[in-house]
Amino acid sequence: MITEKTKEQEMLVKVIRDFAKQEIAPVIDQYVHNGEFPTEIIQKLGELGVFGIQYPEEYGGMGEGMVCFSNVLEELARVDASVAAIVMANSSPLTILSKFGSEEQKNKWLAPIIAGKGIASIGLTEASGGSDASAMKTKAIKKENGWMINGNKLFITNSGNELNKFSVIAAATGTENGKKQTSSFIIPRETPGYVVGPKIHTIGWQAADSRELTFEDANIPDEYLVGEQGTGVKQLLTSITYGRISIAACAVGVAQGAYEEALEYAKIREAFGHQISKFQGISFKIADMATKIESARLLVHKAALLADKDEDFRKESSMAKLYATEMAMSVVQDSIQIHGGIGLSKEHRVSKMLGDAKLLEIVEGTSEIQRLTISKLVGC
């Protein structure tokens, strides 16, 4: 299942690796300290074409697929999970538009974001529902020549910064055969009744921007409905399944960064007259970290490759997300253990990674949801 990168893909990954080291690493802590969104960094990534890696060339994308995109996300998360999360979250609404949007929607909304002219957000999660899409309370009522939307969305990444152009949101649109009908809508940022709440401060992804969105009689035209009415669940599940690969790739990146920090520290820290890397208790821990990371990377690669071949990748996507995120949490904890007291300092990278890893375990479906999904797909 392993495929070699093309020369173009290798070049792109190297460009992003160098960019992360030179453009992100030296300044990202300033954004976190000042509570600012890393606008310049995201704009530069847009100019590099990162937003269009996996999307068709006819809309300005590179057409490289999920294997390449997951490699890029790993490189970004290796240096900072916030930036990787912003890029990942931006891909979710773009995936829906790419897979289900009309030609007009793709040209009007998808192509400009691919070209780096802003970012987008996706609105699914609600305070009362969490992973239960059937509990959605946001409603879209059909009006003459359009829709009126009312409701709230919570923890919506990319929704409150100056680069945001629109959100793709899920809303209930009545019932069909006794079941709640869900549809997806494009809601431009400037829509009257589109209210953006204050930034939600989380334990990880601290430079990212997550908010509550409130829709108060927000009226949009018919052409902002994505696909057919009532097909929202299929669209959202497709986006989530792709998103789980992206989250898993970010987890591999976070773990790789934590592992490299631990290995470097273990080689320079001395105790009892020896480098601590020479102690079996430390060297075995580092060996386990390296093995877990490589295992997770292979799971991500398999899921991404199946997605690129247009085969069923739901099981592999959930497996990659489950294993990689729990692995990242384990590796970061081990890295902190190796660092000892200095690893507990808020100023040290590995302490920040702990919050980043925990968020990765939760978003796009918790570990419990992944186990539920996998158990069904293997026939339980």
Side-chain angles (χ1 to χ4, degrees):
M1 295 294 291
I2 300 176
T3 58
E4 296 291 333
K5 297 186 184 75
T6 64
K7 289 184 178 180
E8 291 77 10
Q9 290 173 345
E10 286 182 349
M11 185 179 299
L12 176 60
V13 171
K14 183 181 184 306
V15 166
I16 300 304
R17 182 183 299 126
D18 292 342
F19 178 88
K21 289 180 179 178
Q22 298 166 14
E23 303 284 341
I24 300 176
V27 300
I28 194 64
D29 286 344
Q30 297 174 25
Y31 287 102
V32 172
H33 179 75
N34 296 329
E36 297 176 354
F37 185 80
T39 300
E40 275 191 50
I41 292 173
I42 300 305
Q43 286 176 322
K44 289 179 180 178
L45 286 171
E47 292 167 3
L48 288 172
V50 169
F51 300 162
I53 290 172
Q54 71 273 46
Y55 300 115
E57 294 180 49
E58 60 191 293
Y59 303 110
M62 296 184 186
E64 293 289 354
M66 283 301 294
V67 171
C68 185
F69 186 56
S70 64
N71 289 334
V72 166
L73 285 176
E74 180 183 333
E75 292 298 336
L76 292 173
R78 184 179 183 178
V79 171
D80 182 73
S82 299
V83 173
I86 293 165
V87 174
M88 179 277 301
N90 182 59
S91 71
S92 294
L94 300 194
T95 295
I96 288 179
L97 292 178
S98 176
K99 299 286 185 183
F100 304 102
S102 66
E103 284 301 307
E104 179 184 355
Q105 290 171 344
K106 291 175 183 177
N107 287 311
K108 182 175 181 180
W109 302 105
L110 176 64
I113 303 299
I114 287 177
K117 299 176 181 177
I119 59 175
S121 53
I122 188 166
L124 174 60
T125 304
E126 297 184 0
S128 60
S131 297
D132 183 6
S134 65
M136 189 178 302
K137 294 183 178 180
T138 298
K139 295 181 180 180
I141 300 174
K142 187 71 181 76
K143 299 291 183 181
E144 185 178 356
N145 300 320
W147 297 82
M148 183 173 70
I149 298 177
N150 284 281
N152 298 80
K153 299 293 180 180
L154 193 61
F155 298 119
I156 308 307
T157 304
N158 292 348
S159 58
N161 59 83
E162 62 188 83
L163 297 181
N164 179 270
K165 300 301 180 184
F166 64 90
S167 287
V168 173
I169 70 107
T173 49
T175 57
E176 185 175 19
N177 298 324
K179 294 184 179 180
K180 183 179 289 185
Q181 187 186 72
T182 303
S183 303
S184 299
F185 299 88
I186 300 165
I187 306 188
R189 177 74 180 275
E190 66 274 11
T191 301
Y194 182 133
V195 182
V196 180
K199 180 177 178 177
I200 299 171
H201 297 280
T202 56
I203 61 173
W205 302 3
Q206 294 180 22
D209 179 79
S210 292
R211 313 253 177 166
E212 179 180 13
L213 300 182
T214 301
F215 305 100
E216 301 173 347
D217 293 343
N219 290 286
I220 55 174
D222 281 328
E223 57 264 31
Y224 288 4
L225 169 67
V226 181
E228 297 181 3
Q229 181 179 339
T231 59
V233 170
K234 178 183 178 181
Q235 296 171 16
L236 292 163
L237 287 177
T238 298
S239 174
I240 288 170
T241 306
Y242 276 94
R244 286 171 179 166
I245 298 176
S246 298
I247 288 291
C250 291
V252 173
V254 169
Q256 183 69 35
Y259 160 78
E260 290 170 355
E261 290 283 343
L263 181 59
E264 180 181 358
Y265 184 76
K267 288 180 177 180
I268 61 173
R269 176 74 164 90
E270 291 190 359
F272 306 104
H274 298 280
Q275 295 174 354
I276 64 171
S277 63
K278 302 301 181 182
F279 296 123
Q280 197 174 78
I282 299 296
S283 63
F284 278 18
K285 194 182 291 289
I286 290 174
D288 286 342
M289 293 162 75
T291 304
K292 290 176 183 177
I293 292 168
E294 193 60 30
S295 299
R297 185 176 285 120
L298 290 172
L299 276 173
V300 173
H301 183 90
K302 181 179 180 180
L305 187 58
L306 288 172
D308 287 344
K309 293 168 66 176
D310 203 25
E311 297 182 15
D312 186 356
F313 62 101
R314 292 173 297 164
K315 173 169 63 72
E316 289 76 9
S317 176
S318 283
M319 285 179 169
K321 201 275 180 184
L322 171 64
Y323 182 79
T325 57
E326 292 193 346
M327 175 278 301
M329 194 69 185
S330 171
V331 167
V332 171
Q333 288 177 324
D334 282 346
S335 182
I336 292 174
Q337 194 74 18
I338 290 170
H339 279 84
I342 195 172
L344 302 175
S345 167
K346 287 185 177 181
E347 284 71 33
H348 201 286
R349 279 191 70 206
V350 292
S351 67
K352 185 180 73 170
M353 289 175 176
L354 190 63
D356 293 333
K358 192 62 197 177
L359 258 72
L360 291 166
E361 279 191 314
I362 301 295
V363 297
E364 296 288 24
T366 62
S367 292
E368 291 77 13
I369 289 294
Q370 304 313 317
R371 288 186 169 90
L372 177 63
T373 300
I374 295 165
S375 65
K376 289 181 178 179
L377 290 172
V378 297
C380 290

